[in-house]
Amino acid sequence: MAQVSMTVNGKTVSGEVEGRTLLAEFLREGLNLTGTHIGCDTSQCGACVVHVNGEAVKSCTMFAMEADGADVGTIEGQANADGSLNVIQQAFQDHHGLQCGFCTPGMVMSAAALLKENPKPSEAEVRTYLEGNICRCTGYHNIVKAIMAASGQDVSAIAAE
Amino acid sequence: MYEFEMTRPTTIADAAKALGDEDAQALGGGQTLIPTLKQRLAMPSALVSLGAIPEMKGVCMSDAGEVCVGGATPHAVVAAEATAYPGLAGLAAHIGDPAVRNRGTVGGSLANNDPSACYPAAALASGATIVTNTREIAADDYFQGMFSTALEDGEIITEVRFPVPEVSHYEKFVQPASRFALVGVMVAKFADGVRVAVTGASEDGVYRWTEAEAALSASFSADALADLAVSGDGMISDLHGSGDYRAHLVKVMTGRAVAKAA
Ligand SMILES: Cc1cc2nc3c(=O)[nH]c(=O)nc-3n(C[C@H](O)[C@H](O)[C@H](O)COP(=O)(O)OP(=O)(O)OC[C@H]3O[C@@H](n4cnc5c(N)ncnc54)[C@H](O)[C@@H]3O)c2cc1C
Ligand code: FES
Ligand code: FES
């Protein structure tokens, strides 16, 4: 066992982990931050995407010890300070960007990483960026629409809800 | 996953020492190794993370004009910073998905030598030098068949030096489920000739298509490939495509790469 400490959603946290403890496990089981989902556990689906030092990573495919000292962001840290949904989350609600919601934490975290890098992406750029995020329910149209809307673009011409 | 001990050295020398232990294994970005460990296909007693070694990260230019990439540099950094070699930056920008590119490294990709991986094509088409903690290996001597390389146990890829071609392009026919290459072809035109490396196709892993190299060195256009035939013998055949299909794609992808080379 080893001691790790990191900043998660702005708070310093620490805990005991094994070498094999995944970052996703540390977040979910060590810190009870169960918003980060584990869908495939094989780096395919993106339900577990979090930010490590500002970059989107699949937390099921990174060891907790590798995040020692890092700045980690999860879905729990996305809402505004007053608890209201942030602009991406609100757009997912407004544009019906989720059905069962299982993929949504990863989608929102990937979307946030995309918009940081590319504040006004085209529809094609959004779709390409989401290659590693799989949704079994929505057919993606409304997810793409929500992300376009969150970036402040007019989405009235994009595929129907 | 079986339990192991993890260390995070901060210098190449310390990493090499830790990897001297027979049951220790290097951890790059973990994008292949972690899934392998989860399936219990590997059982190292210790993992030596290369992710905290500053001297193994980043992209720079050598005095000889090569693009030098630290062995633990993630694909996303190569995509953003290897601007002097657009064909290489473009290849890195299309590996997997953004989260994979933020973790996966050039050293891990070349050490693994997956028969469908992209970087082996870049290294072979560029005539790159694979620099390890003990020696320098020419790409032509490095790849030794599927998942097999010239690396010794515990040897660390510290840097890869890519000579910069006049024009180049990597054309990938994506296998949509894995996002690896069903077939990928890197074409690189140097002053002294053209190099063509093919990944995803052969059962022997990445290889140079020498007939195409000769034809393209004589005339750098997709038409120069017209008379060449690629055999399906020895090509990978699986549920995603037969050997003959892959053989066909080799020529199509090469033609497209030539047409797009910049
Ligand atoms: C969903 C998904 C999609 C992908 N798509 C593509 C794709 O389209 N094209 C593509 O080319 N790849 C693709 N990959 C592979 C990925 O990009 C990585 O390049 C690859 O997983 C290996 O790099 P790594 O740094 O993660 O190595 P690791 O997984 O950490 O290690 C792999 C092997 O290399 C060894 N190793 C690691 N670093 C070094 C080093 N510096 N020196 C010596 N040995 C070392 C390890 O011991 C291990 O045996 C994909 C992966 C995933 C999960
Ligand atoms: S749970 Fe991590 S990618 Fe699916
Ligand atoms: S909303 Fe159900 S998986 Fe995406």
Side-chain angles (χ1 to χ4, degrees):
Chain A
M1 299 289 272
Q3 186 77 16
V4 290
S5 70
M6 61 189 84
T7 308
V8 177
N9 300 328
K11 283 195 214 112
T12 306
V13 298
S14 57
E16 288 263 294
V17 296
E18 293 183 320
R20 64 183 165 182
T21 305
L22 300 166
L23 178 58
E25 290 168 352
F26 179 66
L27 293 170
R28 289 177 54 84
E29 288 156 36
L31 305 177
N32 275 327
L33 294 173
T34 53
T36 297
H37 290 169
I38 298 179
C40 62
D41 205 11
T42 55
S43 15
Q44 305 293 322
C45 77
C48 64
V49 168
V50 301
H51 299 166
V52 175
N53 296 328
E55 291 177 341
V57 306
K58 292 173 178 169
S59 61
C60 77
T61 311
M62 176 170 179
F63 292 115
M65 278 184 71
E66 293 180 285
D68 191 29
D71 183 15
V72 177
T74 74
I75 190 68
E76 287 88 350
Q78 288 290 297
N80 298 320
D82 65 0
S84 61
L85 299 180
N86 79 4
V87 63
I88 299 171
Q89 294 170 308
Q90 188 61 51
F92 269 70
Q93 187 181 75
D94 293 345
H95 295 277
H96 197 175
L98 62 150
Q99 289 181 23
C100 80
F102 193 84
C103 69
T104 314
M107 289 288 179
V108 169
M109 298 310 284
S110 282
L114 166 64
L115 296 185
K116 196 179 83 169
E117 192 179 298
N118 183 356
K120 292 257 184 285
S122 67
E123 182 179 345
E125 286 170 338
V126 173
R127 288 184 186 277
T128 305
Y129 196 89
L130 293 182
E131 256 173 345
N133 290 84
I134 292 174
C135 176
R136 296 278 70 174
C137 304
T138 63
Y140 302 98
H141 287 309
N142 289 344
I143 292 175
V144 175
K145 198 168 181 174
I147 296 170
M148 300 286 288
S151 72
Q153 303 186 72
D154 177 13
V155 294
S156 50
I158 300 179
E161 308 228 349
Chain B
M1 235 182 300
Y2 296 106
E3 175 55 340
F4 51 78
E5 203 170 323
M6 161 105 76
T7 53
R8 299 181 80 211
T10 54
T11 64
I12 293 170
D14 284 349
K17 202 183 297 166
L19 285 168
D21 178 349
E22 205 186 325
D23 293 327
Q25 189 169 359
L27 172 67
Q31 302 302 292
T32 294
L33 185 54
I34 295 177
T36 309
L37 291 168
K38 286 179 181 177
Q39 291 173 54
R40 297 193 163 184
L41 294 173
M43 206 171 87
S45 60
L47 278 197
V48 181
S49 166
L50 305 175
I53 305 176
E55 57 186 317
M56 278 181 66
K57 289 196 173 176
V59 179
C60 64
M61 291 296 290
S62 74
D63 293 342
E66 301 149 313
V67 167
C68 300
V69 182
T73 309
H75 310 324
V77 173
V78 177
E81 295 182 13
T83 47
Y85 188 168
L88 178 66
L91 173 143
H94 291 96
I95 293 176
D97 58 59
V100 167
R101 292 195 288 275
N102 283 333
R103 295 293 303 160
T105 66
V106 63
S109 180
L110 292 178
N112 197 46
N113 193 18
D114 187 297
S116 302
C118 302
Y119 262 118
L124 195 56
S126 310
T129 304
I130 289 103
V131 183
T132 77
N133 56 316
T134 56
R135 58 190 168 137
E136 298 186 357
I137 311 170
D140 284 318
D141 303 325
Y142 175 83
F143 299 102
Q144 303 192 340
M146 230 186 235
F147 297 111
S148 172
T149 71
L151 292 178
E152 305 282 347
D153 275 352
E155 194 170 355
I156 304 168
I157 299 176
T158 55
E159 184 179 71
V160 186
R161 295 194 199 128
F162 295 92
V164 180
E166 292 170 354
V167 294
S168 64
H169 186 77
Y170 176 67
E171 187 71 12
K172 173 181 178 185
F173 194 94
V174 178
Q175 199 275 80
S178 74
R179 292 182 289 281
F180 276 76
L182 187 65
V183 169
V185 177
M186 179 90 170
V187 171
K189 179 175 182 290
F190 290 90
D192 61 354
V194 178
R195 290 173 70 107
V196 178
V198 179
T199 188
S202 168
E203 287 175 343
D204 293 328
V206 70
Y207 70 95
R208 284 173 67 184
W209 185 16
T210 47
E211 291 90 348
E213 292 183 350
L216 292 170
S217 297
S219 160
F220 194 69
S221 77
D223 294 341
L225 305 168
D227 294 337
L228 301 185
V230 184
S231 160
D233 291 346
M235 293 291 183
I236 300 168
S237 211
D238 59 20
L239 78 168
H240 304 295
S242 66
D244 287 341
Y245 180 64
R246 281 185 164 84
H248 178 73
L249 277 182
V250 168
K251 184 160 156 179
V252 175
M253 292 300 110
T254 306
R256 287 186 192 169
V258 172
K260 291 186 193 169

